[in-house]
């Protein structure tokens, strides 16, 4: 979850994995091992490690908080059984936090919250708790309260055990019982009693309720609530990782409230036929099944496939089956990862996270399983890239290295895409934001030694159709010998935003032979990738093949592919195509004195202010602004506010470009 820059480092220290506490700002952070992470003080790629606490093994994945690297969060949440959401006590629930919270909701991941940085000026635990409830539509319950705040932050009050924990040394907390925080503890007990009649009876009779009675019920509610229609119950803790306050209680909470693999229902998948539903319980004696959730290129061992084992046992050297490709592969080595460090292991068991060496054809989201018991587990969906830039290698040698580097990076990152512009011959890369592409270019230079010229970032527009249309495509070519003949009639109909592309075959009576239907679809799909207005992909349309004709001798797959492409383009021209642009959700935190100027600037950028919220002498402006208007906004914002304002931005949706702006964009692209 976002804002966890220091959290994993403290966890590793207290669980004995590391002997010193590393910091991002001085380049000694263990989990942020990439050079770009240590230079920028941010997490870019998810890193996995393992530790022990109270006799329990905990697999940890530290994920980025920046929305440009949302794919790392998506694939991590897909395979994790529980999550720790870390919030800034000053900033509260930020836009990135909302995005990640929705991802956790999608995969029904139980979670606990940790309100960090309670020692900073402006820290407010109560406000953050309220924002978790209102902004995230969650059901938070405080299991701790802070002892003081800002400079006076001294520790935490454990409401479950009624213990105050104050830091007295580098490694330990001391506790002494208090009679404080009665109201908060009663609210906690009321939440617990909602699902336990025995405890409710004790509460109504005024009998004392011990921590040993609260913890198992709170654990059950945390795990089970995500599968109910109600808002998930979320225990909330607090502390200051930098001051080493509240770290050990957080690790206790992970063990106490988050599920083990045995607490999670059996994972479901389908047989290779796509219809039969299969279950794989988290037991070592069950048939082996695992999901490859991350691919990484390691300079020493080659391609690593990070896997989460859901059932069964797999040994190093074993042969596995990839049901998506219908191929077998042999596991070369199995590794237990600690960030970028590796430890050879001989076997992995149900619930484990490990890295496999030797899987050359396995990609992100692929299932690997026992050949005798094939299953396809649910894969992952990744957002569409919204920003592009062109890369030109400086020499022929750089061109070869560029191709190799881009191939490896696209394998690692599902939100990074590469194509070649047919008109200019340039290599065009697409990503989730300016920072995302900036990191990609830096990695190409450092890891692959590519010297290249990089263009300015461009917006990844899309096109769609606004009206139904009928058209036909006829491809006839005679060259003296055998000719080419293909004839297709089809209909295009717009679909609601986000519904994607669908091809339907309504041919009856053999007007087009069955062997040519796939060629027509291939031609249509190829035409969809290069739109009518400015060459951008066309989205959200259903194409129905209605009729056509063929020739006994001259018809071929190529002829019908070309005819299908021609028919679609003819229909698209009649269907009034429009340009779509990415709209960003922008949150600006600005001192009140500059609020009017900032709102005027947002309006000038074709933005719409959705809401404003007062926050301790500042205003939080929530707006929707086209991405094309946001380039260079950081510099402009600093200039207008003397460096006192900050902003965050992430993708919200695609929306239609106003006609006047669309004409300008199309004219610029066509004249390029």
């Amino acid at each position: 979850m976002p804002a966890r820059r220091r959290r994993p480092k403290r966890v590793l220290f207290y669980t004995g994995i590391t002997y010193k506490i590393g910091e991002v700002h001085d380049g000694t952070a263990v989990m942020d091992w990439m050079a770009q992470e240590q230079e920028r003080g941010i997490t870019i790629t998810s890193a996995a490690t393992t530790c022990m606490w109270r006799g329990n093994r905990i697999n940890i994945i530290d994920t980025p908080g920046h929305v440009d690297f949302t794919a790392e969060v998506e694939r991590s949440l897909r395979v994790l059984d529980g999550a720790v959401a870390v919030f800034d006590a000053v900033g509260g629930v930020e836009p990135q936090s909302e995005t990640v919270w929705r991802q956790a909701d999608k995969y029904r991941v139980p979670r606990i919250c940790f309100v960090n940085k309670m020692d900073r000026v402006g820290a407010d635990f109560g406000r953050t708790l309220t924002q978790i409830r209102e902004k995230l539509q969650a059901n938070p319950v405080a299991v701790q309260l802070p002892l003081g705040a800002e400079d006076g932050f001294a520790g935490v009050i454990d409401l479950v055990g009624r213990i105050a924990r104050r830091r007295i040394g580098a490694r330990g907390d001391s506790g002494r019982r208090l009679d404080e925080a009665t109201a908060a503890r009663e609210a906690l007990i009321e939440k617990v009693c909602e699902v336990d009649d025995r405890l409710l009876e004790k509460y109504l009779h005024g009998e004392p309720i011990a921590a040993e009675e609260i913890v198992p019920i709170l654990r059950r509610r945390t795990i089970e609530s995500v599968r109910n229609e109600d808002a998930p119950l979320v225990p909330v803790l607090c502390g200051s990782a930098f001051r080493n306050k509240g770290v050990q209680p957080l690790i206790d909470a992970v063990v106490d409230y988050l599920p083990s693999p045995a607490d999670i229902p059996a994972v479901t998948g389908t047989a290779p036929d796509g219809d039969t539903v299969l279950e794989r319980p988290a037991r070592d004696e069950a048939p082996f099944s695992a999901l490859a959730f991350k691919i990484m290129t390691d300079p020493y061992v080659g391609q690593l496939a990070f896997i989460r084992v859901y059932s069964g046992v797999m040994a190093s050297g074993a042969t596995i089956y990839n049901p998506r490709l219908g191929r077998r592969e042999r596991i070369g080595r199995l590794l237990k990862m600690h960030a970028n460090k590796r430890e050879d292991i001989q076997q992995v068991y149900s619930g484990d996270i490990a890295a496999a060496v030797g899987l050359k054809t396995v990609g992100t989201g692929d299932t690997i399983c026992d050949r005798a018991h094939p299953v396809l587990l649910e894969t992952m969906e990744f957002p569409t890239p919204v920003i592009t830039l062109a890369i030109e290698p400086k020499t022929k040698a750089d061109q070869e290295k560029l191709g190799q580097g881009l191939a490896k990076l696209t394998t690692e990152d599902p939100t990074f895409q590469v194509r070649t512009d047919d008109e200019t011959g340039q290599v065009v890369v697409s990503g989730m934001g300016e920072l995302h592409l900036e990191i990609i270019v830096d990695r190409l230079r450092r890891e692959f030694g590519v010297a290249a010229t990089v263009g300015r970032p461009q917006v990844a527009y899309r096109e769609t159709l606004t009206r139904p249309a009928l058209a036909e495509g006829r491809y006839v070519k005679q060259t003296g010998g055998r000719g080419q003949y293909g004839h297709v009639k089809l209909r295009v109909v717009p679909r609601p935003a986000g519904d994607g592309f669908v091809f339907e075959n309504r041919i009856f009576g053999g007007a087009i032979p069955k062997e040519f239907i796939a060629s027509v679809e291939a031609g249509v799909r190829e035409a969809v990738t290069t739109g009518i207005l400015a060459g951008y992909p066309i989205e959200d349309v259903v194409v129905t093949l209605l009729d056509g004709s063929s020739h006994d001798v001259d018809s071929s797959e190529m002829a019908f592919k070309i005819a299908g492409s021609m028919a679609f383009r003819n229909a698209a021209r009649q269907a009034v195509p429009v340009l779509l642009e990415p709209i960003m959700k922008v949150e600006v935190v600005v001192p009140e004195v500059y609020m009017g100027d900032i709102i005027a600037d947002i309006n000038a950028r074709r933005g719409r202010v959705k809401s404003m919220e007062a926050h301790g002498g500042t205003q939080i402006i929530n707006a929707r602004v086209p991405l094309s208007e946001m380039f260079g906004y950081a510099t402009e914002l600093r200039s207008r506010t003397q460096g006192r304002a900050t902003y965050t931005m992430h993708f919200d949706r695609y929306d239609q470009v106003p006609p006047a702006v669309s004409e300008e964009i199309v004219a610029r692209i066509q004249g390029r």
Side-chain angles (χ1 to χ4, degrees):
M1 293 299 209
R4 55 161 70 72
R5 297 289 60 77
R6 296 189 175 93
R7 173 57 47 196
K9 295 81 183 173
R10 263 64 184 182
V11 171
L12 298 181
F13 173 69
Y14 285 118
T15 55
I17 298 298
T18 57
Y19 68 92
K20 63 178 291 188
I21 299 176
E23 299 292 356
V24 172
H25 57 255
D26 60 16
T28 60
V30 175
M31 301 297 278
D32 295 325
W33 56 270
M34 291 176 62
Q36 292 88 348
E37 292 176 317
Q38 296 184 352
E39 289 174 359
R40 298 165 187 265
I42 61 172
T43 298
I44 294 170
T45 184
S46 55
T49 190
T50 301
C51 64
M52 298 294 295
W53 188 255
R54 285 168 38 190
N56 298 276
R57 179 177 174 182
I58 304 174
N59 291 311
I60 300 174
I61 299 181
D62 179 30
T63 67
H66 198 287
V67 72
D68 279 14
F69 309 106
T70 185
E72 297 289 336
V73 183
E74 183 83 20
R75 54 186 169 196
S76 298
L77 287 173
R78 168 62 183 85
V79 299
L80 291 177
D81 296 328
V84 179
V86 183
F87 299 96
D88 188 325
V90 180
V93 177
E94 301 176 61
Q96 300 101 309
S97 306
E98 296 181 54
T99 301
V100 176
W101 196 270
R102 287 194 298 269
Q103 289 172 302
D105 284 339
K106 179 171 69 173
Y107 293 115
R108 295 187 173 186
V109 179
R111 67 216 78 152
I112 60 179
C113 295
F114 183 77
V115 181
N116 193 22
K117 304 182 181 179
M118 284 301 306
D119 59 321
R120 288 185 55 191
V121 175
D124 191 328
F125 178 78
R127 183 184 65 239
T128 304
L129 197 69
T130 300
Q131 290 180 351
I132 293 172
R133 180 180 302 108
E134 295 177 353
K135 288 189 175 184
L136 304 179
Q137 301 299 303
N139 186 14
V141 54
V143 296
Q144 290 181 351
L145 287 183
L147 274 171
E150 302 181 353
D151 289 343
F153 179 67
V156 298
I157 302 174
D158 178 3
L159 298 176
V160 176
R162 299 183 69 176
I163 297 174
R165 300 178 180 270
R166 299 174 183 269
R167 177 179 176 271
I168 59 170
R171 283 187 172 269
D173 291 331
S174 65
R176 56 188 177 87
R177 298 195 171 275
L178 299 176
D179 293 326
E180 302 176 11
T182 303
R185 191 173 194 271
E186 292 220 349
L188 167 63
I189 293 175
E190 287 174 5
K191 292 276 188 184
V192 172
C193 290
E194 289 175 2
V195 294
D196 191 281
D197 293 339
R198 184 187 63 82
L199 219 58
L200 177 61
E201 188 174 344
K202 288 188 68 174
Y203 176 65
L204 293 176
H205 285 83
E207 298 178 29
I209 298 175
E212 293 74 16
E213 298 175 280
I214 296 174
V215 170
I217 300 174
L218 190 55
R219 174 188 178 86
R220 192 179 77 219
R221 283 217 62 192
T222 303
I223 296 172
E224 293 178 354
S225 62
V226 294
R227 299 179 187 89
N228 302 330
E229 295 298 324
D230 300 333
L233 185 71
V234 183
V236 182
L237 301 90
C238 60
S240 169
F242 186 62
R243 304 297 178 191
N244 301 309
K245 296 175 182 176
V247 179
Q248 291 154 304
L250 175 62
I251 315 174
D252 286 333
V254 169
V255 174
D256 289 339
Y257 305 127
L258 292 182
S260 74
D263 297 320
I264 301 296
V267 66
T268 58
T270 60
D273 61 18
D275 296 323
T276 308
V277 177
L278 302 173
E279 286 191 348
R280 291 290 184 267
R283 297 201 305 267
D284 292 344
E285 59 271 19
F288 171 73
S289 66
L291 189 75
F293 65 93
K294 178 182 173 70
I295 304 297
M296 188 180 84
T297 302
D298 189 287
Y300 300 102
V301 298
Q303 181 170 296
L304 292 176
F306 285 77
I307 60 171
R308 157 68 196 265
V309 181
Y310 283 96
S311 62
V313 179
M314 180 179 65
S316 178
T319 299
I320 56 90
Y321 179 65
N322 183 343
R324 180 179 68 87
L325 300 175
R327 297 186 59 174
R328 299 186 190 188
E329 284 199 77
R330 183 178 178 275
I331 300 287
R333 295 165 61 191
L334 287 173
L335 305 173
K336 182 169 72 173
M337 300 298 294
H338 178 53
N340 62 331
K341 297 180 175 61
R342 301 163 298 278
E343 177 187 336
D344 279 279
I345 54 178
Q346 295 305 309
Q347 287 184 316
V348 288
Y349 302 89
S350 57
D352 279 350
I353 290 177
V357 180
L359 301 179
K360 297 180 181 178
T361 61
V362 170
T364 300
D366 278 354
T367 301
I368 60 174
C369 59
D370 184 350
R371 178 68 181 88
H373 302 88
V375 63
L376 279 166
L377 302 177
E378 179 189 0
T379 186
M380 294 156 274
E381 295 179 0
F382 297 102
T384 304
V386 297
I387 192 169
T388 66
L389 57 80
I391 299 180
E392 292 185 0
K394 291 186 177 180
T395 66
K396 190 172 182 178
D398 288 320
Q399 186 171 6
E400 184 176 342
K401 288 188 286 187
L402 176 64
Q404 295 173 350
L406 291 176
K408 291 181 179 180
L409 292 174
T410 51
T411 301
E412 290 184 12
D413 188 349
T415 60
F416 175 61
Q417 298 177 2
V418 181
R419 66 178 177 87
T420 301
D421 191 298
D422 294 333
E423 295 182 3
T424 64
Q426 288 179 312
V427 175
V428 179
V429 298
S430 304
M432 296 305 300
E434 289 182 85
L435 179 60
H436 186 199
L437 293 183
E438 189 180 327
I439 296 297
I440 290 289
V441 171
D442 193 41
R443 290 189 63 188
L444 285 170
R445 177 176 60 84
R446 295 192 191 201
E447 297 176 26
F448 302 99
V450 177
T453 302
V454 181
R456 294 182 59 188
Q458 303 290 329
V459 176
Y461 292 100
R462 296 287 185 270
E463 297 181 23
T464 194
L465 309 178
T466 57
R467 296 180 187 174
L470 289 165
E472 63 180 319
R474 187 187 300 270
Y475 180 68
V476 181
K477 188 175 182 181
Q478 198 68 40
T479 58
R482 179 177 176 178
Q484 296 285 345
Y485 183 89
H487 176 219
V488 170
K489 291 183 180 179
L490 51 77
R491 178 177 64 232
V492 297
V493 178
R495 304 186 73 199
D499 282 7
F501 169 83
V502 173
F503 180 86
E504 296 179 347
N505 175 28
R506 297 288 176 84
I507 292 288
F508 299 102
I512 298 177
K514 289 183 179 179
E515 62 265 28
F516 297 137
I517 300 298
S519 299
V520 175
E521 181 178 354
V524 171
R525 288 187 178 276
E526 187 175 289
V528 165
T529 62
T530 54
I532 303 301
L533 288 176
Y536 292 104
I538 296 177
E539 296 187 340
D540 304 325
V541 60
V542 55
V543 179
T544 306
L545 178 59
L546 300 174
D547 200 0
S549 61
S550 63
H551 189 278
D552 291 340
V553 176
D554 292 346
S555 288
S556 66
E557 292 182 354
M558 179 58 68
F560 273 99
K561 181 178 179 181
I562 296 173
S565 177
M566 293 170 61
F568 175 78
R569 297 188 72 82
N570 291 337
R573 290 188 184 95
Q574 301 173 35
V576 190
V578 295
L579 205 60
L580 302 175
E581 64 180 345
I583 305 297
M584 311 304 287
K585 183 177 181 180
V586 180
E587 186 175 278
V588 184
V589 181
V590 58
E592 290 183 357
V593 66
Y594 301 108
M595 183 178 66
D597 190 23
I598 296 305
I599 291 176
D601 182 57
I602 289 173
N603 292 333
R605 295 173 184 270
R606 297 193 286 121
R608 295 181 180 180
V609 175
K610 292 291 186 180
S611 65
M612 292 180 289
E613 177 187 346
H615 177 57
T618 63
Q619 286 284 338
I620 301 175
I621 302 172
N622 183 10
R624 304 293 184 273
V625 189
L627 174 61
S628 60
E629 305 292 338
M630 291 300 294
F631 292 121
Y633 186 65
T635 302
E636 180 69 19
L637 185 65
R638 285 195 296 267
S639 174
R640 288 177 177 269
T641 63
Q642 298 180 353
R644 297 173 61 191
T646 60
Y647 85 103
T648 55
M649 175 178 74
H650 68 274
F651 174 72
D652 185 54
R653 69 185 189 281
Y654 269 93
D655 205 355
Q656 186 173 331
V657 179
V661 180
S662 178
E663 291 176 7
E664 180 183 333
I665 293 171
V666 172
R668 184 175 69 246
I669 292 171
Q670 292 177 345
R672 187 171 56 192

